[in-house]
Amino acid sequence: MLNVSFAYDDNYSPYLAICLVSLLKNNIGDFDEIEIFVLDSGIKKINKEKIRKIAHDYGADISFIHVADIEEKYNLTLNKMSVKGDFSLATYSRLFIASLLPETVDKVIYLDCDALVLDSFKEILNLDLNNYLAAGVLALNCTAEVKKAIDLNEDDLYINAGMLLINLKRWRQENVENQFLEKLVEFNLRGKHFGMDQGVINIVLSKNLLVLNPKYNLEGSLHNTGYDITFKLNGNIQKNYYSREVLDDAIENPVFQHFCVGKGEIFNRPWLNKHHEDNKLYRKYFELADFEFDEVFDYHHVALIKRFNRFLARNKLTSFLICKVIPDKLAKKIVGNKMEVDNLTDIERW
């Protein structure tokens, strides 16, 4: 049985629907049962019905779990626990997934919905998680300074929490939820939230994480630019990251393709940039979801310079020049790729 959880408010309903379609199309044949749990931070009834229909069309069960009670239960105002106050309750709700999901669910895959599922999760469902709290993919962007800011050592693991295989049984046994809560309160008192809920997840789970192959959470920067340019332009890659061989294979064979790019990056997301190389792929799954084009795609803000920058990064000659000839600082200016972490509170932000 495959248990999958998402956590969103109504703003991301169309993207949840598209991600759900891709999940079910590429997994329904490998599992006798698929159950979807949506941690619901205010999804409109009409959109719930659209999402529910998708699940039922593929023979999957789906539950919408109201999460507003978290704030009352713990006396927290989660939607204001941000330096800039622009993160919703849904941002934090997955920290409480062990309480929100039925106790009969011992293992669940959590997924961000700014993504596509392109292959089966069958292989990792058979992993032995008895000695781990969760499994995930190492985050591309994470310097020693970032780790220090959240009380981790340079050698500690730091994962991208957009895809997690969670051992709920151990989370309940070890009261991981309370550990998350303590860190949230501590961050709130300090007035800083490094990496938002992802920072909290890494602080608490880092010593008990199983590292997965990067194909299970392939970040947008790697997929769009490939190994050479990504490593040329990115000064924030954490110690002990994956080898080139492993990354090249993941780029060719992604299971979970995660469009987790920052607002300043040139490639953005396929629903925001019609020149994105995955735009057609994304539209394929969009057409199977019951949402209007204008609810999903917004190309208006994509400037000509972004199209030009994309050409620079994908053209073989310019790729060679950027990687082998042009100095790092000049290459970054030419490509215009804002991969550096400008502010520790903005790590892995949506």
Side-chain angles (χ1 to χ4, degrees), residues 220 224 259-273 276 301-302 306:
N224 285 317
F259 305 111
C260 54
V261 296
K263 294 178 181 177
E265 289 191 39
I266 58 175
F267 304 108
N268 233 307
R269 290 165 167 169
W271 57 90
L272 295 175
N273 182 358
H276 191 291
H301 77 290
V302 180
K306 291 188 176 182

Side-chain angles (χ1 to χ4, degrees), residues 130-270:
N130 288 331
N131 296 321
Y132 302 96
L133 290 170
V137 173
L138 295 176
L140 176 63
N141 293 322
C142 186
T143 61
E145 289 75 17
V146 169
K147 291 182 179 181
K148 183 179 179 180
I150 58 173
D151 304 322
L152 293 178
N153 298 317
E154 186 177 359
D155 291 329
D156 288 335
L157 301 176
Y158 187 94
I159 60 171
N160 181 305
M163 180 276 169
L164 291 172
L165 175 61
I166 301 173
N167 185 343
L168 287 176
K169 185 176 182 179
R170 277 199 62 183
W171 278 33
R172 296 181 182 116
Q173 289 174 344
E174 301 186 22
N175 211 348
V176 169
E177 192 171 284
N178 271 3
Q179 297 177 53
F180 288 150
L181 185 61
E182 289 173 4
K183 287 299 177 184
L184 278 174
V185 172
E186 178 188 333
F187 276 12
N188 205 35
L189 290 172
R190 290 164 63 182
K192 294 191 176 182
H193 303 272
F194 304 109
M196 309 311 296
D197 63 327
Q198 179 168 283
V200 175
I201 288 169
N202 276 285
I203 294 168
V204 174
L205 304 186
S206 185
K207 305 295 184 184
N208 291 281
L209 285 171
L210 175 65
V211 176
L212 297 175
N213 186 292
K215 69 182 179 179
Y216 290 106
N217 191 352
L218 183 66
E219 296 191 37
S221 296
L222 275 167
H223 177 71
N224 285 317
T225 61
Y227 183 94
D228 288 328
I229 292 181
T230 299
F231 278 70
K232 171 79 172 182
L233 301 179
N234 197 323
N236 303 313
I237 295 172
Q238 66 174 305
K239 188 176 180 181
N240 301 322
Y241 197 60
Y242 304 98
S243 68
R244 177 174 188 143
E245 181 181 7
V246 171
L247 288 171
D248 282 346
D249 179 70
I251 291 167
E252 290 298 317
N253 303 288
V255 174
F256 182 68
Q257 192 162 306
H258 193 183
F259 305 111
C260 54
V261 296
K263 294 178 181 177
E265 289 191 39
I266 58 175
F267 304 108
N268 233 307
R269 290 165 167 169

Side-chain angles (χ1 to χ4, degrees), residues 11-62:
N11 293 319
Y12 275 84
S13 292
Y15 311 105
L16 169 57
I18 293 166
C19 187
L20 180 60
V21 168
S22 70
L23 165 72
L24 296 174
K25 275 194 69 68
N26 291 299
N27 281 270
I28 201 69
D30 290 330
F31 297 94
D32 293 332
E33 296 179 68
I34 296 179
E35 188 153 6
I36 309 298
F37 301 95
V38 180
L39 308 187
D40 174 11
S41 295
I43 300 174
K44 293 178 182 177
K45 183 178 179 180
I46 187 173
N47 289 332
K48 283 185 187 178
E49 291 307 312
K50 290 179 180 181
I51 294 166
R52 184 177 282 113
K53 184 179 184 301
I54 290 169
H56 291 169
D57 285 349
Y58 286 91
D61 293 324
I62 187 167

